[in-house]
C-alpha cells in the first residue's frame, strides 16, 4: 500500500514513513493512493475488537510485519479500556445505536487512536532506532492533548509537548493534562484559541531552521494530531466494528445500509467513517454535526469554505474549530486525486481565507454528506431529553450529534438506521451536563462532577475519579509567538 500527498508534492511512500513524518514536509497530508476493499464476509459477527482492528489495519499498514501489528493491537486494546468490547454499542432505539468510544484511559474517543498510534510510530522508527528520538508536537482543543500525553507517557525515545488554549478547554480537560506524570511529557497553556495553536504548531513543523536545530540534538519532529495517518487508520476499524454490533443488536441485518452521524471538529473521525465506506461499508449518508462554529455545515450546504467568521467558545470545546485539517483529505478524494487543484484551493484559503469548491465535487459531496449544527440551548435540551427518557447521559459533543441526527430525520424523512459516535464520557464536561439536567450553574467542574454523580447515580470513569487531588506537574503558560522558542528550549 502506497501513500501520496494531497498536494502532489511528495513521492509515493510506505506507511511507516508516512506515520514517521506525520504530515508532508512541504505541506499537504498523506492519503492512501487507493482504498483496499474488505467484504463483510471477512468480518464475522463473533469477531473481537482486536481481530476486527487487525483485519482493517493490516490492509493499510502493509510494511508492518503481521506479528508486529498483532502485537501493537493487542497492547493497544486491552485492560487500558474499561469495557471488554473496547467500544460497546448502546442501543438507543430500533433505528439508532450510539457507539461509545470513551472507555479508554482519558474518557474521550481520542484514546481509540492514541493508545495505538504511539506504538505504530515507535515501530516506524525501528530502522533508525539507535540514533533518532522523536519530539511529538500536538495542538489540542482539549481531548487530544491528554490522550496523546497518556499514549506517549514514558515511551522510550520520545518526548511530547501539547499546546492547549489556556481559556479554551474545560477545567477537567486542563486538569487531566497538567497532572500527567510522565518523564517525557509537557502540557503548555497558550494565550489564543485552538486555531492559533494549530497554526503555530504547523508552522514550527515547516520551520527548516528549527528542524535543523532539532536534528543537531538528535530529534525529528512528528505529530500526534489527527493529520497523522497513524491516528486515522485505527479509527477506520471501529466503524466496521460498530456495524457488526448494530447487526448483533438487531438494529440492522448484515448488508443493510446505515447512516453515520459524527460530532465533528477537525474532521478526523467522520473522515475515518468515509474511508470505511470507501472500503465497502454500506453507508447511505454521512451526517456531519457541528456546534455554533458551523463552518462545515455551510461548506456542505454551499461548497464555500469561509474562515472569515467569529470564533465561538462553546460547551462542546473539542469541536470549537474553524480550520478542519482533515477536510483536505475529503476534498482530495472528491476532486479525484487532483493534487494541483487542492493546492489552488488551499493557496486561496491562505490568501483570502476562503475558497469555493467546483460544482461537480459539490454535487458528489452533497449526495453523501449532510451538514447540520446545534446551538448551546439545543445541546442542553438534548442532554436533558435523553436523560429523562432513558436515564442515559450524553456528553455535550455527543448531544450535538444526536440533535443534528434528529433534525436530519425530521427534515429528510430518511429513517435509515443510524450510528452515532458517542465521543466523550459526560463526566468530562460535568458543569455543562449538570446545567443541562438541572438548570443550575455550578462554576466549579469538580463540584459539578460530584453533584452530577449524586443526581444520576451513574458511575464516574476510573480515570476521572481522583482527578481533583492529583499533583500538578506542568504550569507553563506562554504566548502564541513563543511556541517556537518553547519547542527549541525543550529539545
Ligand atoms: C476531538 C473530539 C471531537 C471531534 O473529532 P474530530 O475527529 O476532530 O472531528 C468530537 N468530540 C470529542 C469529545 C472530541 O474529543
Amino acid at each position: 500500500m502506497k501513500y501520496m500527498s494531497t498536494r502532489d508534492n511528495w513521492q509515493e511512500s510506505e506507511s511507516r514513513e508516512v506515520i514517521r513524518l506525520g504530515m508532508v514536509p512541504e505541506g499537504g497530508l498523506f492519503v492512501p493512493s487507493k482504498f483496499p476493499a474488505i467484504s463483510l464476509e471477512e468480518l464475522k459477527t463473533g469477531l473481537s475488537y482486536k481481530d476486527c482492528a487487525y483485519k482493517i489495519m493490516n490492509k493499510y499498514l502493509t510494511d508492518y510485519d503481521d506479528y508486529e501489528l498483532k502485537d501493537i493491537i493487542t497492547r493497544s486494546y486491552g485492560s487500558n479500556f474499561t469495557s471488554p468490547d473496547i467500544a460497546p454499542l448502546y442501543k438507543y432505539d430500533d433505528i439508532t445505536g450510539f457507539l461509545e468510544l470513551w472507555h479508554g484511559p482519558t474518557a474521550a474517543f481520542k484514546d481509540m487512536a492514541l493508545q495505538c498510534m504511539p506504538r505504530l510510530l515507535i515501530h516506524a522508527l525501528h530502522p533508525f532506532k539507535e540514533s533518532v528520538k522523536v519530539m511529538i508536537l500536538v495542538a489540542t482543543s482539549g481531548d487530544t492533548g491528554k490522550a496523546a500525553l497518556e499514549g506517549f507517557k514514558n515511551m522510550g525515545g520520545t518526548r511530547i509537548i501539547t499546546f492547549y488554549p489556556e481559556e479554551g478547554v474545560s477545567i477537567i480537560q486542563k486538569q487531566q493534562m497538567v497532572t500527567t506524570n510522565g518523564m517525557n511529557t509537557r502540557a503548555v497553556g497558550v494565550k489564543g484559541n485552538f486555531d492559533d495553536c494549530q497554526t503555530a504548531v504547523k508552522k514550527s513543523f515547516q520551520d527548516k531552521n528549527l528542524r535543523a536545530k532539532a536534528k543537531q540534538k538528535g530529534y525529528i519532529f512528528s505529530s500526534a494530531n489527527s493529520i497523522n495517518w497513524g491516528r486515522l487508520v485505527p479509527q477506520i476499524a471501529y466503524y466496521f466494528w460498530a456495524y457488526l454490533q448494530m447487526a448483533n443488536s438487531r438494529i440492522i441485518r448484515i448488508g443493510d445500509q446505515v447512516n453515520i452521524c459524527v460530532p465533528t471538529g477537525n474532521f478526523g473521525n467522520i473522515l475515518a467513517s468515509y474511508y470505511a465506506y470507501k472500503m465497502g461499508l454500506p453507508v447511505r449518508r454521512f451526517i456531519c454535526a457541528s456546534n455554533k462554529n458551523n463552518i462545515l455545515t455551510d461548506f456542505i450546504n454551499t461548497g464555500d469554505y469561509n474562515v472569515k467568521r467569529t470564533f465561538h467558545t462553546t460547551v462542546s470545546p473539542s469541536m470549537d474549530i474553524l480550520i478542519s485539517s482533515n477536510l483536505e483529505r475529503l476534498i482530495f478524494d472528491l476532486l479525484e486525486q487532483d493534487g494541483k487543484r487542492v493546492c489552488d484551493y488551499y493557496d486561496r484559503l491562505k490568501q483570502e481565507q476562503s475558497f469555493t469548491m467546483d460544482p461537480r465535487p459539490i454535487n458528489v459531496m452533497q449526495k453523501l454528506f449532510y451538514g447540520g449544527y446545534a446551538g448551546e440551548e439545543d445541546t442542553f435540551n438534548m442532554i436533558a431529553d435523553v436523560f429523562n427518557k432513558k436515564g442515559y447521559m450524553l456528553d455535550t459533543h455527543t448531544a450535538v450529534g444526536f440533535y443534528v441526527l434528529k433534525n436530519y430525520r425530521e427534515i429528510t424523512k430518511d429513517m435509515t438506521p443510524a450510528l452515532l459516535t458517542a465521543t466523550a464520557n459526560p463526566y468530562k464536561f460535568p458543569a455543562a451536563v449538570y446545567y443541562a439536567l438541572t438548570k443550575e450553574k455550578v462554576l466549579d467542574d469538580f463540584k459539578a462532577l460530584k453533584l452530577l454523580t449524586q443526581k444520576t447515580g451513574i458511575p464516574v470513569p476510573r480515570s476521572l475519579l481522583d482527578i481533583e487531588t492529583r499533583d500538578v506537574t506542568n504550569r507553563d503558560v506562554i504566548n502564541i509567538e513563543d511556541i517556537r522558542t518553547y519547542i527549541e528550549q525543550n529539545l
Side-chain angles (χ1 to χ4, degrees), residues 23-309:
M23 70 179 284
V24 181
E26 311 297 317
L29 304 178
F30 287 110
V31 284
S33 55
K34 62 177 193 312
F35 288 94
I38 188 157
S39 70
L40 294 172
E41 285 84 66
E42 279 178 73
L43 302 168
K44 304 226 174 52
T45 39
L47 222 58
S48 72
Y49 187 88
K50 281 180 213 153
D51 293 340
C52 180
Y54 174 75
K55 290 208 171 185
I56 304 301
M57 289 168 65
N58 188 32
K59 302 231 181 233
Y60 285 104
L61 307 176
T62 45
D63 60 336
Y64 285 74
D65 297 324
D66 283 354
Y67 73 89
E68 191 182 13
L69 188 58
K70 273 192 181 137
D71 183 60
I72 290 171
I73 289 173
T74 303
R75 289 168 193 272
S76 303
Y77 304 110
S79 58
N80 44 344
F81 283 77
T82 53
S83 164
D85 278 348
I86 307 300
L89 187 90
Y90 170 75
K91 184 175 180 178
Y92 177 80
D93 62 22
D94 288 341
I95 55 167
T96 318
F98 299 166
L99 183 68
E100 295 181 348
L101 295 171
W102 43 256
H103 290 270
T106 76
F109 91 92
K110 306 291 196 294
D111 291 327
M112 298 300 298
L114 276 166
Q115 285 298 299
C116 187
M117 182 262 181
R119 297 186 167 92
L120 291 174
L121 181 67
I122 292 293
H123 284 255
L125 288 167
H126 262 169
F128 314 90
K129 202 177 178 183
E130 306 313 324
S131 52
V132 181
K133 293 173 282 187
V134 215
M135 167 70 91
I136 308 291
L137 302 175
V138 183
T140 179
S141 57
D143 293 332
T144 298
K146 180 57 177 176
L149 289 165
E150 280 301 312
F152 282 99
K153 190 167 89 179
N154 299 334
M155 194 166 272
T158 71
R159 299 196 72 169
I160 172 165
I161 311 178
T162 65
F163 298 96
Y164 63 88
E166 175 67 13
E167 305 288 337
V169 298
S170 84
I171 297 167
I172 298 265
Q173 286 177 318
K174 192 190 288 184
Q175 181 77 354
Q176 280 188 302
M177 285 188 273
V178 300
T179 56
T180 309
N181 56 354
M183 306 290 292
N184 59 341
T185 57
R186 280 263 188 293
V188 187
V190 175
K191 293 179 196 151
N193 65 33
F194 170 68
D195 288 309
D196 299 332
C197 283
Q198 178 160 261
T199 306
V201 170
K202 267 193 191 166
K203 232 202 227 146
S204 304
F205 266 109
Q206 285 159 23
D207 186 326
K208 293 215 165 74
N209 203 325
L210 185 60
R211 275 202 275 163
K213 283 200 173 126
K215 204 170 169 194
Q216 276 174 8
K217 307 236 169 147
Y219 280 98
I220 57 164
F221 290 135
S222 193
S223 151
N225 277 108
S226 61
I227 51 176
N228 190 315
W229 177 245
R231 280 279 303 273
L232 274 173
V233 70
Q235 294 188 259
I236 302 171
Y238 58 66
Y239 285 102
F240 284 95
W241 168 257
Y243 186 88
L244 298 176
Q245 302 315 300
M246 285 175 80
N248 276 349
S249 309
R250 301 185 190 282
I251 298 173
I252 55 165
R253 266 176 290 188
I254 295 288
D256 289 352
Q257 278 194 325
V258 294
N259 287 335
I260 294 180
C261 177
V262 183
T264 303
N266 223 354
F267 210 77
N269 201 3
I270 192 166
L271 182 80
S273 73
Y274 175 73
Y275 282 180
Y277 158 79
K278 298 285 284 188
M279 296 175 75
L281 192 72
V283 181
R284 177 161 180 191
R285 207 91 193 268
F286 300 92
I287 298 160
C288 175
S290 300
N291 63 24
K292 259 169 91 183
N293 296 295
N294 57 358
I295 185 166
L296 288 169
T297 313
D298 290 346
F299 177 65
I300 291 168
N301 288 330
T302 65
D304 290 333
Y305 197 78
N306 190 340
V307 187
K308 285 174 279 181
R309 55 175 74 215

Side-chain angles (χ1 to χ4, degrees), residues 408-420:
Y408 168 81
R409 284 173 168 166
E410 264 163 42
I411 293 167
T412 62
K413 310 283 181 248
D414 174 11
M415 291 300 182
T416 305
L419 176 77
L420 169 68

Side-chain angles (χ1 to χ4, degrees), residues 402-430:
F402 199 32
Y403 176 84
V404 173
L405 174 60
K406 287 202 147 189
N407 244 349
Y408 168 81
R409 284 173 168 166
E410 264 163 42
I411 293 167
T412 62
K413 310 283 181 248
D414 174 11
M415 291 300 182
T416 305
L419 176 77
L420 169 68
T421 56
T423 50
N425 182 286
Y427 285 113
K428 271 200 100 157
F429 308 94

